[in-house]
Amino acid sequence: MGATGGKPAVAGQASEFAVLRTGRRAARRLARIRGPKAAAALARAAAHAAAETGFDDRVPRIAHRALGKAKSQPEIDAICATWHNSRDPGLGELIGRHGWVAGGPPAMRARTALHGGHAGLLAAAGPELACALAVLADEEGGRLRAEAVSALATLDRTDARGALCALAVDGGSPAALDAALSAGFLPGDPARRAALLFLGGQFSRYAELDFAEALAGWNHRHDIEIGTTTGQEPEATDISLR
């Protein structure tokens, strides 16, 4: 559907399609409407018009001017969501210029915080956001990975640090492992501490652990038996691979 009574319908993607079909006039009408649905439709129209040929190239400029006036968190989240899914350069520049950070979900909040130069906000992250940041670092690599690992190394909350260590040991996340080791975050459980140090190549620190305590904790949690000889130190594989 297009416009109704001089105003574009905002439900679904109707307004976005109206803008793409009729160009700058529909974009200007939509730009006068405030709210997250209008912001989402305008952002999607701008991203589509910029990425595809055959659309009015003035639409992104009109959209960006209107979107730059967003004040409420729901509007900002709608714009961030479109950029998060499309990686549209114009929306990315807009978000970076205004320093917008999405309220959620965690993956989107992590990406926008790094993109806008607000990595410091992530120090207070909880477990879910910390893990989302590590996953983002593993997926993207490059500069973003380096910034994400640095941010992870500043985590303040004990539960977030624990989640990061768990992701490194159980989830096989290289970024989580790098961040945990660089910041000195270690699991409280001796066996998991041994596993993290071993995975990170920290063999000298690994060798200093109390192996009897580590084995006892590992056996108890996994309900297995490991035979040892009195006075003989267990091999590294006994700790790391079980």
Side-chain angles (χ1 to χ4, degrees):
M1 293 178 61
T4 301
K7 290 186 178 181
V10 184
Q13 295 181 321
S15 296
E16 172 194 346
F17 295 149
V19 170
L20 293 176
R21 283 201 310 270
T22 60
R24 67 186 186 279
R25 283 176 292 187
R28 284 170 178 156
R29 288 197 297 271
L30 183 58
R32 290 195 290 269
I33 302 175
R34 297 260 62 88
K37 290 184 178 179
L42 197 56
R44 288 195 301 265
H48 279 288
E52 305 291 339
T53 58
F55 295 118
D56 191 334
D57 60 6
R58 289 167 289 191
V59 167
R61 293 198 297 273
I62 295 169
H64 294 162
R65 282 199 299 271
L67 294 172
K69 299 175 183 178
K71 300 297 183 183
S72 71
Q73 190 63 50
E75 287 179 305
I76 291 170
D77 287 348
I79 299 166
C80 290
T82 300
W83 173 71
H84 182 70
N85 294 325
S86 69
R87 304 293 194 276
D88 174 66
L91 293 177
E93 192 279 331
L94 186 70
I95 290 168
R97 174 156 37 96
H98 288 277
W100 289 333
V101 178
M108 193 165 77
R109 181 167 176 78
R111 184 181 292 279
T112 52
L114 292 178
H115 180 75
H118 296 293
L121 294 175
L122 300 172
E128 192 175 3
L129 181 54
C131 290
L133 184 58
V135 171
L136 177 64
D138 288 330
E139 291 176 346
E140 295 294 333
R143 180 184 63 83
L144 190 147
R145 183 188 192 280
E147 292 177 354
V149 170
S150 295
L152 287 167
T154 67
L155 291 173
D156 293 328
R157 290 176 47 169
T158 301
D159 57 351
R161 294 179 179 184
L164 184 70
C165 291
L167 187 63
V169 174
D170 300 326
S173 167
L177 182 63
D178 289 348
L181 290 174
S182 67
F185 302 154
L186 294 175
D189 178 77
R192 298 180 69 78
R193 191 183 313 144
L196 189 142
L197 291 173
F198 185 87
L199 290 170
Q202 303 288 314
F203 300 120
S204 59
R205 298 175 66 190
Y206 174 82
E208 295 170 358
L209 293 174
D210 183 335
F211 285 103
E213 182 184 8
L215 278 171
W218 193 265
N219 288 341
H220 176 72
R221 290 194 308 111
H222 291 272
D223 192 26
I224 59 176
E225 294 183 357
I226 301 177
T228 57
T229 302
T230 303
Q232 182 179 354
E233 201 172 69
E235 295 180 1
T237 51
D238 288 333
I239 298 293
S240 61
L241 301 180
R242 292 181 183 268

